[in-house]
């Protein structure tokens, strides 16, 4: 039987309810990011750039746009005959059907898919994180240590450590303890939710976890503690680049502003491995005679006649004459009418803002304007 | 249902352009920030539901083949939608006078014979910026009963015509000793009695035979009605390169310009076409310019009516002020 050294299982089924209207109609990994991208582009690109050509994408919440977007995986070169991207939504069996009940359960229900590739290792990813990583390097560390499970960790500020799943290391530098959102953290190494398991170890753990009626079938809460209890070898893989869970409106907005302010744009898009996306065909962007665009990121197909500063514009965004856009994220296909004033706002895909609208919160809160609606301020 | 196959001839260059720019067939000429001229006829074929297209390529075909590949970006290169590379019969013409050489058809007869069920052959040149739906043309030709229908805009023949496959087949047999001639000229000269249909095109088009044409067509792209006519009625497909969006620095000052992805703009830009992955430094000023892919303009440089091919580097404080009548050209890879 042919076998793969490592395949990826990408968790993309979460609702991402904290993103509000942005995920009203689409799953969180499908949410637009950085102008022309969608959040899941980063993970998919990381996979192919790391030589991982087999990716099972576990979907559940409103998966249609995500399925359509990923398609055959061709845009990421993940349409290979020997593997490629496979969309894995919940399915029925002869004994009925169930929704995925937790991250571990989602993979448990696809054991047959993984077995089909007979991999030595399985990389588990979250489709809603923003970072560039060479998983191959992590795999090398995992193999060199002969580990059962390697967890990517990120050093977070101590005062924020209680918001994360925290890994405490023993004297050998292995993971000795895992605490989910500890009140008094004894380490500041946060789990990034990126795991490489030996498949035989993971497979046995998933089956044992499935049979445990008390389990929430969660990697962090159940699988990792189980393996620690069994005395398996768990090691950390330290990551130092940019990494962000864009799970809330605040963090989503902040990550966009980082693109402009912290040189993140250069780091993510220009340096190192390329980020691929399944983009549509747009002409070059047009800036009109009265346009002004400064300190901004603008995608193909935009037509700008107003003034834009410190903002991110997605593909095909149109901005009318006299409009003033500041600190805003305009997602693909949104249209801003003449003389609008928009400050510190996120305008969702395809939203039309009628002329002369004013979108600005007097208290400086981030405003989010929902999907497929016309809005007059 | 009748079947139409497409044929795009791309085996000609413009001597006038190659004197100042990189030697390449006109079809591979970069245009409009992210396109090459071949994108227009190929997209027109794709958008008109034509599922089989032959592309007559010149001897110097690297840039063209590199760009079109299997035709996948245009929806070809599939089981049911195919693009065929047809080697041109001559070395590659240095002018654009004859585009539809009979010998290109004869030499690639297998492409036409392979498509046994073909009723019509729709031919297009590749030296025009045009976004045209061929379906009404096919309908008109089919209804008219004539053997050939040519597309005009006013008095100008747009190097687009459709003919009965059987008629083309006949021409190949009858005129094999005149195979160095252009099909349309053979008909005009030796078959003057042939009824020729006329289809009137009313959209935008611009012929590109020389640098004046090129500069003029580029500048016309800055007009919104031209943008609408070219891009709103059907997607113009092109080779996807996965460039990131363009960065505008706090110092950027850009007016009336088309900017392609992957660029970084820190300086002043007005009335320009800037291709992918170009960099305009702070304090640089470019006006009425066409800068092809990977242009690098250093600070203090001042350019007016300047056209450069790919990967040109203009160093600090260089001033080149040309005029609309005679823009300044710089070849590929040069440092100025």
């Amino acid at each position: 039987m042919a076998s793969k050294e490592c395949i990826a299982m990408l968790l993309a089924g979460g609702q991402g309810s904290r993103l509000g209207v942005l995920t009203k109609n689409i799953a969180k990994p499908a949410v637009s990011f950085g102008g022309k991208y969608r959040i899941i582009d980063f993970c998919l690109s990381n996979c192919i750039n790391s030589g991982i050509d087999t990716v099972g994408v576990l979907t559940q919440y409103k998966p249609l746009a995500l399925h359509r977007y990923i398609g055959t995986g061709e845009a990421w070169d993940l349409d290979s005959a020997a593997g490629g991207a496979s969309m894995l939504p919940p399915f029925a069996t002869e004994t009925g059907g169930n929704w995925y009940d937790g991250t571990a359960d989602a993979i448990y229900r696809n054991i047959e898919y993984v077995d089909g590739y007979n991999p030595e290792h399985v990389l588990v990813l979250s489709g809603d994180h923003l970072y560039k990583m060479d998983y191959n390097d992590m795999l090398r560390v995992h193999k060199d240590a002969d580990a059962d499970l390697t967890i990517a960790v990120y050093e977070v500020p101590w005062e924020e450590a209680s918001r994360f799943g925290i890994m405490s290391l023993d004297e050998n530098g292995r993971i000795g303890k895992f605490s989910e959102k500890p009140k008094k953290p004894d380490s500041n190494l946060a789990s990034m939710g990126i795991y490489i398991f030996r498949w035989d170890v993971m497979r046995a753990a998933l089956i044992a976890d499935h049979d445990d009626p008390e389990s929430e079938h969660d990697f962090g809460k159940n699988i990792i503690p189980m393996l620690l209890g069994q005395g398996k070898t768990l090691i950390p893989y330290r990551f130092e680049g940019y990494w962000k869970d864009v799970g809330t409106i605040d963090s989503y907005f902040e990550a966009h502003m980082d693109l402009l302010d912290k040189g993140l744009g250069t780091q993510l898009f220009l340096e190192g491995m390329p980020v691929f996306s399944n983009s549509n065909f747009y002409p070059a962007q047009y800036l009109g005679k009265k346009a002004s665009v400064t300190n901004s990121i603008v995608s193909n197909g935009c037509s700008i006649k107003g003034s834009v500063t410190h903002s991110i514009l997605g593909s095909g965004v149109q901005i009318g004459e006299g409009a003033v856009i500041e600190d805003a994220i305009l997602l693909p296909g949104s249209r801003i009418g003449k003389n609008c004033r928009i400050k510190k706002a996120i305008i969702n895909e395809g939203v039309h803002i009628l002329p002369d609208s004013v979108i600005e919160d007097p208290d400086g809160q981030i405003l989010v304007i929902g999907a497929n609606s016309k809005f007059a301020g | 249902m009748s079947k139409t196959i497409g044929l795009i001839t791309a085996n000609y260059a413009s001597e006038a352009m190659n004197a100042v720019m990189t030697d390449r067939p006109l079809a591979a000429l970069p245009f409009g920030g992210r396109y090459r001229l071949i994108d227009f006829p190929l997209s027109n074929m794709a958008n008109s539901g034509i599922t089989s297209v032959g592309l007559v390529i010149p001897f110097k075909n690297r840039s063209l083949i590199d760009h079109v590949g299997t035709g996948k970006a245009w929806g070809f290169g599939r089981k049911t939608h195919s693009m065929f590379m047809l080697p041109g019969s001559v070395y590659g013409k240095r002018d654009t006078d004859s585009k539809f050489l009979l010998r290109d058809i004869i030499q690639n007869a297998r492409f036409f014979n392979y498509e046994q069920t073909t009723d019509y052959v729709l031919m297009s040149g590749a030296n025009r910026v045009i976004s045209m739906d061929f379906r009404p043309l096919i309908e008109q030709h089919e209804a008219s009963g004539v053997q050939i229908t040519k597309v005009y805009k006013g008095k100008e023949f747009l190097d687009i015509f459709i003919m009965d496959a059987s008629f083309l087949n006949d021409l190949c047999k009858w005129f094999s000793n005149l195979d160095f001639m252009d099909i349309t000229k053979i008909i005009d000269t030796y078959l003057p009695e042939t009824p020729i249909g006329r289809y009137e095109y009313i959209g935008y088009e611009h012929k590109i035979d020389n640098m004046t044409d090129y500069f003029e067509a580029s500048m016309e792209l800055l007009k919104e009605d031209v943008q609408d006519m070219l891009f709103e009625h059907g997607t113009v497909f092109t080779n996807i390169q996965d460039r990131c969006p363009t960065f505008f620095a706090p110092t950027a000052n850009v007016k009336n310009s088309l900017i392609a992805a992957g660029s970084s703009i820190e300086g002043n830009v007005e009335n320009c076409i800037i291709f992918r992955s170009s960099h305009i430094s702070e304090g640089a000023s470019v006006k009425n310019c066409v800068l092809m892919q990977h242009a690098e303009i250093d600070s203090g440089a001042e350019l007016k009516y300047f056209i450069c091919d790919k990967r040109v580097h203009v160093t600090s404080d260089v001033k080149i002020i040309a005029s609309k009548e005679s823009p300044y050209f710089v070849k590929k890879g040069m440092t100025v």
Side-chain angles (χ1 to χ4, degrees):
Chain A
M1 185 179 183
S3 66
K4 294 249 175 202
E5 182 174 40
C6 185
I7 72 167
M9 295 296 272
L10 177 50
L11 299 161
Q15 179 182 353
S17 54
R18 289 172 302 159
L19 281 177
V21 293
L22 297 183
T23 52
K24 187 162 176 264
N25 296 307
I26 54 177
K28 184 165 134 189
V31 170
S32 166
F33 183 84
K36 64 174 275 198
Y37 302 95
R38 296 191 182 274
I39 296 171
I40 201 167
D41 286 337
F42 295 87
C43 271
L44 292 173
S45 300
N46 285 342
C47 282
I48 198 69
N49 286 325
S50 305
I52 292 171
D53 68 356
T54 306
V55 184
V57 184
L58 299 141
T59 62
Q60 176 154 284
Y61 173 80
K62 297 211 170 162
L64 302 181
L66 190 56
H67 287 195
R68 194 171 62 231
Y69 182 68
I70 296 179
T72 61
E74 187 197 349
W76 302 267
D77 274 357
L78 286 170
D79 56 342
S80 82
S86 299
M87 306 310 295
L88 303 172
F91 55 91
T93 66
E94 60 277 15
T95 54
N98 285 294
W99 297 112
Y100 293 152
D101 183 20
T103 49
D105 183 60
I107 297 183
Y108 168 81
R109 294 187 185 280
N110 289 284
I111 283 178
E112 273 183 59
Y113 169 82
V114 181
D115 278 344
Y117 293 100
N118 194 23
E120 286 171 53
H121 309 282
V122 172
L123 168 67
V124 178
L125 302 168
S126 294
D128 47 8
H129 292 174
L130 205 60
Y131 63 102
K132 274 165 86 169
M133 185 193 281
D134 181 359
Y135 301 134
N136 218 12
D137 190 56
M138 179 171 171
L139 181 62
R140 185 185 53 76
V141 170
H142 172 75
K143 287 193 301 187
D144 285 354
D146 204 14
D148 295 305
L149 166 60
T150 302
I151 302 176
V153 295
Y154 191 78
E155 219 169 285
V156 294
W158 278 96
E159 61 272 20
E160 289 179 26
S162 55
R163 289 174 37 218
F164 293 89
I166 293 295
M167 304 289 160
S168 311
L169 305 188
D170 64 17
E171 61 277 13
N172 301 318
R174 293 180 177 176
I175 295 168
K177 196 175 96 187
F178 170 79
S179 346
E180 183 71 33
K181 297 180 183 158
K183 286 207 174 72
K184 288 182 182 166
D186 55 5
S187 157
N188 66 339
L189 294 179
S191 166
M192 297 167 68
I194 301 166
Y195 313 112
I196 296 180
F197 286 89
R198 276 175 51 133
W199 173 234
D200 54 351
V201 172
M202 184 190 197
R203 196 178 190 284
L206 290 175
I207 291 168
D209 175 71
H210 175 74
D211 295 338
D212 175 3
E214 302 293 311
S215 175
E216 291 177 46
H217 312 302
D218 184 82
F219 277 102
K221 286 182 194 151
N222 309 106
I223 302 290
I224 296 171
M226 180 199 294
L227 294 180
L228 283 171
Q230 293 170 353
K232 301 286 188 198
T233 308
L234 275 65
I235 64 161
Y237 173 77
R238 286 171 186 267
F239 179 74
E240 284 170 352
Y242 184 90
W243 173 73
K244 199 166 195 110
D245 176 349
V246 281
T248 64
I249 290 293
D250 282 344
S251 67
Y252 179 81
F253 188 83
E254 197 178 280
H256 275 92
M257 294 302 133
D258 287 349
L259 288 176
L260 297 170
D261 303 336
K262 296 190 176 164
L264 173 62
T266 310
Q267 197 183 326
L268 278 185
F269 302 134
L270 297 180
E271 293 164 2
M273 311 184 297
V275 182
F276 302 111
S277 70
N278 186 1
S279 43
N280 291 322
F281 292 89
Y282 289 100
Q285 53 192 272
Y286 175 67
L287 275 63
K289 293 189 172 89
K290 295 177 186 164
S292 161
V293 179
T294 53
N295 199 13
S296 295
I297 290 177
V298 182
S299 308
N300 273 336
C302 286
S303 170
I304 305 170
K305 289 168 201 152
S307 154
V308 177
T309 186
H310 204 248
S311 298
I312 314 276
L313 275 55
S315 309
V317 167
Q318 296 181 18
I319 296 176
E321 239 171 74
V324 178
I325 316 292
E326 195 180 342
D327 304 328
I329 304 167
L330 311 185
L331 300 192
S334 55
R335 284 201 227 163
I336 313 299
K338 285 181 185 174
N339 303 317
C340 283
R341 204 181 124 71
I342 297 179
K343 190 172 161 77
K344 206 171 180 185
I346 301 170
I347 312 294
N348 204 1
E349 290 186 50
V351 171
H352 295 197
I353 306 292
L354 296 180
D356 305 310
S357 303
V358 175
I359 299 174
E360 178 179 1
D361 185 86
D363 302 325
Q365 295 295 307
I366 301 163
L367 293 176
V368 186
I369 309 302
N372 296 325
S373 53
K374 290 193 193 290
F375 185 94
Chain B
M1 205 180 82
S2 66
K3 180 169 180 191
T4 303
I5 64 169
L7 185 82
I8 299 169
T9 55
N11 55 339
Y12 39 86
S14 160
E15 201 147 41
M17 294 191 85
N18 286 342
V20 288
M21 289 172 60
T22 308
D23 204 10
R24 54 162 82 85
L26 268 174
L29 183 69
F31 182 79
R34 58 180 319 216
Y35 302 100
R36 289 180 187 258
L37 290 187
I38 186 66
D39 292 347
F40 294 97
L42 260 185
S43 298
N44 291 342
M45 294 282 180
N47 289 331
S48 304
I50 289 169
T51 59
S52 188
V53 173
L55 181 61
V56 179
I57 54 172
F59 178 74
K60 283 197 178 178
N61 52 37
R62 187 205 57 81
S63 56
L64 192 58
I65 289 178
D66 183 37
H67 181 72
V68 297
T70 60
K72 206 156 190 180
W74 295 264
F76 299 113
R78 307 174 62 79
K79 289 179 180 173
T80 56
H81 291 62
S82 321
M83 191 195 73
F84 299 86
M85 295 280 188
L86 307 177
S89 56
V90 289
Y91 183 77
K93 292 188 62 70
R94 303 300 298 171
D95 58 56
T96 54
D97 294 346
S98 309
K99 297 193 182 71
F100 306 100
L101 294 181
L102 188 61
R103 60 163 67 149
D104 287 344
I105 309 292
I106 293 173
Q107 171 160 313
N108 292 292
R110 291 184 75 98
F111 165 66
F112 299 94
N113 294 342
Y114 176 72
E115 301 288 337
Q116 289 291 342
T117 53
T118 300
D119 298 294
Y120 308 113
V121 180
L122 202 167
M123 305 213 198
S124 172
N127 67 325
R128 279 173 200 271
V129 178
I130 180 170
S131 177
M132 173 176 174
D133 182 353
F134 293 144
R135 283 171 294 194
L137 165 66
I138 299 169
E139 277 168 29
Q140 181 190 310
H141 179 75
E142 190 162 20
S144 71
V146 296
Q147 290 183 293
I148 176 168
T149 302
K150 294 165 83 171
V151 177
Y152 286 85
K153 187 174 184 186
K155 284 182 181 168
E156 194 175 358
F157 171 47
L158 299 186
D159 301 310
I160 295 168
F161 62 100
I162 181 169
M163 62 194 295
D164 291 4
S166 56
F167 185 41
L168 181 64
N169 208 18
D170 289 342
L171 291 183
C172 291
K173 280 186 224 151
W174 299 339
F175 296 98
S176 60
N177 58 335
L178 291 174
D179 67 356
F180 53 88
M181 282 185 74
D182 184 291
I183 294 167
T184 59
K185 284 179 190 135
I186 291 176
I187 295 171
D188 290 347
T189 313
Y190 298 100
L191 301 169
E193 304 298 312
T194 309
I196 295 177
R198 182 189 165 93
Y199 180 90
E200 197 66 36
Y201 171 72
I202 47 169
Y204 176 79
E205 70 84 30
H206 201 297
K207 185 175 177 177
I208 295 184
D209 276 349
N210 53 47
M211 291 309 295
T212 311
D213 290 343
Y214 181 75
F215 188 67
E216 198 176 277
S218 294
M219 288 300 133
E220 279 192 356
L221 269 186
L222 297 176
K223 295 179 184 162
E224 279 181 69
D225 56 333
V226 172
Q227 290 170 17
D228 287 349
M229 284 190 282
L230 268 183
F231 300 120
E232 300 272 299
H233 299 302
T235 308
V236 181
F237 300 99
T238 189
N239 184 1
I240 289 276
Q241 299 190 352
D242 279 283
R243 296 273 189 271
C244 65
T246 287
F247 287 70
F248 290 85
T251 51
N253 180 13
V254 183
K255 305 270 185 251
N256 195 38
S257 294
L258 272 176
I259 319 267
S263 293
S264 172
I265 313 287
E266 295 157 15
N268 303 306
V269 177
E270 194 175 345
N271 307 334
C272 289
I273 312 284
I274 313 267
F275 284 64
R276 290 159 166 160
S277 301
S278 295
H279 177 214
I280 315 289
S281 303
E282 187 176 347
S285 166
V286 289
K287 268 190 184 178
N288 304 84
C289 297
V290 180
L291 310 183
M292 291 190 197
Q293 208 160 320
H294 287 285
E296 180 74 41
I297 313 298
D298 289 351
S299 90
E302 194 182 338
L303 307 173
K304 270 187 195 167
Y305 295 102
F306 177 91
I307 304 180
C308 63
D309 207 326
K310 289 161 82 171
R311 295 187 187 277
V312 163
H313 181 187
V314 177
T315 52
S316 288
D317 303 322
V318 168
K319 265 189 196 172
I320 296 173
I321 314 290
S323 67
K324 189 178 180 180
E325 293 68 35
S326 58
Y328 190 88
F329 309 111
V330 174
K331 282 196 169 190
K332 192 171 179 175
M334 301 285 281
T335 297
V336 183

PDB file of all heavy atoms in Angstrom, chain A residues 213-224:
ATOM      1  N   PRO A 213     -17.673   8.622  27.296  1.00  0.00           N
ATOM      2  CA  PRO A 213     -18.905   9.434  27.269  1.00  0.00           C
ATOM      3  C   PRO A 213     -18.720  10.803  27.931  1.00  0.00           C
ATOM      4  O   PRO A 213     -19.498  11.719  27.671  1.00  0.00           O
ATOM      5  CB  PRO A 213     -19.913   8.574  28.040  1.00  0.00           C
ATOM      6  CG  PRO A 213     -19.081   7.639  28.855  1.00  0.00           C
ATOM      7  CD  PRO A 213     -17.793   7.436  28.115  1.00  0.00           C
ATOM      8  N   GLU A 214     -17.698  10.940  28.752  1.00  0.00           N
ATOM      9  CA  GLU A 214     -17.472  12.212  29.450  1.00  0.00           C
ATOM     10  C   GLU A 214     -16.736  13.229  28.574  1.00  0.00           C
ATOM     11  O   GLU A 214     -16.672  14.409  28.887  1.00  0.00           O
ATOM     12  CB  GLU A 214     -16.620  11.983  30.713  1.00  0.00           C
ATOM     13  CG  GLU A 214     -17.218  10.997  31.699  1.00  0.00           C
ATOM     14  CD  GLU A 214     -18.483  11.542  32.323  1.00  0.00           C
ATOM     15  OE1 GLU A 214     -18.451  12.694  32.776  1.00  0.00           O
ATOM     16  OE2 GLU A 214     -19.515  10.817  32.314  1.00  0.00           O
ATOM     17  N   SER A 215     -16.126  12.743  27.503  1.00  0.00           N
ATOM     18  CA  SER A 215     -15.222  13.605  26.727  1.00  0.00           C
ATOM     19  C   SER A 215     -15.980  14.644  25.905  1.00  0.00           C
ATOM     20  O   SER A 215     -17.086  14.398  25.421  1.00  0.00           O
ATOM     21  CB  SER A 215     -14.364  12.758  25.793  1.00  0.00           C
ATOM     22  OG  SER A 215     -13.588  13.592  24.963  1.00  0.00           O
ATOM     23  N   GLU A 216     -15.347  15.797  25.758  1.00  0.00           N
ATOM     24  CA  GLU A 216     -15.892  16.826  24.851  1.00  0.00           C
ATOM     25  C   GLU A 216     -15.282  16.686  23.463  1.00  0.00           C
ATOM     26  O   GLU A 216     -15.511  17.513  22.591  1.00  0.00           O
ATOM     27  CB  GLU A 216     -15.606  18.223  25.406  1.00  0.00           C
ATOM     28  CG  GLU A 216     -16.394  18.536  26.676  1.00  0.00           C
ATOM     29  CD  GLU A 216     -16.019  19.906  27.226  1.00  0.00           C
ATOM     30  OE1 GLU A 216     -15.945  20.873  26.428  1.00  0.00           O
ATOM     31  OE2 GLU A 216     -15.789  19.997  28.440  1.00  0.00           O
ATOM     32  N   HIS A 217     -14.456  15.673  23.280  1.00  0.00           N
ATOM     33  CA  HIS A 217     -13.835  15.367  21.979  1.00  0.00           C
ATOM     34  C   HIS A 217     -13.068  16.545  21.418  1.00  0.00           C
ATOM     35  O   HIS A 217     -13.199  16.906  20.255  1.00  0.00           O
ATOM     36  CB  HIS A 217     -14.894  14.877  20.974  1.00  0.00           C
ATOM     37  CG  HIS A 217     -15.783  13.815  21.533  1.00  0.00           C
ATOM     38  ND1 HIS A 217     -15.300  12.622  22.015  1.00  0.00           N
ATOM     39  CD2 HIS A 217     -17.131  13.777  21.718  1.00  0.00           C
ATOM     40  CE1 HIS A 217     -16.303  11.880  22.459  1.00  0.00           C
ATOM     41  NE2 HIS A 217     -17.426  12.565  22.299  1.00  0.00           N
ATOM     42  N   ASP A 218     -12.277  17.158  22.304  1.00  0.00           N
ATOM     43  CA  ASP A 218     -11.510  18.338  21.927  1.00  0.00           C
ATOM     44  C   ASP A 218     -10.026  18.017  22.085  1.00  0.00           C
ATOM     45  O   ASP A 218      -9.623  17.387  23.061  1.00  0.00           O
ATOM     46  CB  ASP A 218     -11.914  19.504  22.841  1.00  0.00           C
ATOM     47  CG  ASP A 218     -11.225  20.792  22.445  1.00  0.00           C
ATOM     48  OD1 ASP A 218     -11.725  21.437  21.501  1.00  0.00           O
ATOM     49  OD2 ASP A 218     -10.196  21.145  23.057  1.00  0.00           O
ATOM     50  N   PHE A 219      -9.227  18.451  21.112  1.00  0.00           N
ATOM     51  CA  PHE A 219      -7.793  18.148  21.183  1.00  0.00           C
ATOM     52  C   PHE A 219      -7.171  18.711  22.457  1.00  0.00           C
ATOM     53  O   PHE A 219      -6.468  18.017  23.171  1.00  0.00           O
ATOM     54  CB  PHE A 219      -7.057  18.682  19.945  1.00  0.00           C
ATOM     55  CG  PHE A 219      -7.143  17.742  18.781  1.00  0.00           C
ATOM     56  CD1 PHE A 219      -8.027  17.995  17.736  1.00  0.00           C
ATOM     57  CD2 PHE A 219      -6.368  16.601  18.732  1.00  0.00           C
ATOM     58  CE1 PHE A 219      -8.126  17.119  16.673  1.00  0.00           C
ATOM     59  CE2 PHE A 219      -6.461  15.713  17.664  1.00  0.00           C
ATOM     60  CZ  PHE A 219      -7.350  15.974  16.631  1.00  0.00           C
ATOM     61  N   GLY A 220      -7.459  19.999  22.721  1.00  0.00           N
ATOM     62  CA  GLY A 220      -6.844  20.640  23.871  1.00  0.00           C
ATOM     63  C   GLY A 220      -7.338  20.063  25.190  1.00  0.00           C
ATOM     64  O   GLY A 220      -6.540  19.734  26.072  1.00  0.00           O
ATOM     65  N   LYS A 221      -8.651  19.915  25.296  1.00  0.00           N
ATOM     66  CA  LYS A 221      -9.221  19.506  26.585  1.00  0.00           C
ATOM     67  C   LYS A 221      -9.077  18.013  26.845  1.00  0.00           C
ATOM     68  O   LYS A 221      -9.007  17.580  27.993  1.00  0.00           O
ATOM     69  CB  LYS A 221     -10.713  19.872  26.628  1.00  0.00           C
ATOM     70  CG  LYS A 221     -10.955  21.354  26.815  1.00  0.00           C
ATOM     71  CD  LYS A 221     -12.452  21.634  26.888  1.00  0.00           C
ATOM     72  CE  LYS A 221     -12.713  23.126  26.727  1.00  0.00           C
ATOM     73  NZ  LYS A 221     -14.009  23.381  26.124  1.00  0.00           N
ATOM     74  N   ASN A 222      -9.111  17.201  25.816  1.00  0.00           N
ATOM     75  CA  ASN A 222      -9.193  15.758  26.027  1.00  0.00           C
ATOM     76  C   ASN A 222      -8.018  14.953  25.486  1.00  0.00           C
ATOM     77  O   ASN A 222      -7.439  14.136  26.209  1.00  0.00           O
ATOM     78  CB  ASN A 222     -10.497  15.218  25.414  1.00  0.00           C
ATOM     79  CG  ASN A 222     -11.706  16.014  25.883  1.00  0.00           C
ATOM     80  OD1 ASN A 222     -12.257  16.798  25.135  1.00  0.00           O
ATOM     81  ND2 ASN A 222     -12.073  15.844  27.148  1.00  0.00           N
ATOM     82  N   ILE A 223      -7.680  15.156  24.237  1.00  0.00           N
ATOM     83  CA  ILE A 223      -6.664  14.294  23.612  1.00  0.00           C
ATOM     84  C   ILE A 223      -5.282  14.533  24.230  1.00  0.00           C
ATOM     85  O   ILE A 223      -4.582  13.585  24.596  1.00  0.00           O
ATOM     86  CB  ILE A 223      -6.616  14.514  22.086  1.00  0.00           C
ATOM     87  CG1 ILE A 223      -7.984  14.228  21.464  1.00  0.00           C
ATOM     88  CG2 ILE A 223      -5.518  13.661  21.451  1.00  0.00           C
ATOM     89  CD1 ILE A 223      -8.412  12.784  21.456  1.00  0.00           C
ATOM     90  N   ILE A 224      -4.889  15.823  24.349  1.00  0.00           N
ATOM     91  CA  ILE A 224      -3.551  16.108  24.886  1.00  0.00           C
ATOM     92  C   ILE A 224      -3.412  15.594  26.324  1.00  0.00           C
ATOM     93  O   ILE A 224      -2.458  14.879  26.641  1.00  0.00           O
ATOM     94  CB  ILE A 224      -3.221  17.614  24.774  1.00  0.00           C
ATOM     95  CG1 ILE A 224      -3.165  18.016  23.289  1.00  0.00           C
ATOM     96  CG2 ILE A 224      -1.894  17.942  25.450  1.00  0.00           C
ATOM     97  CD1 ILE A 224      -3.055  19.487  23.033  1.00  0.00           C
TER      98      ILE A 224
END
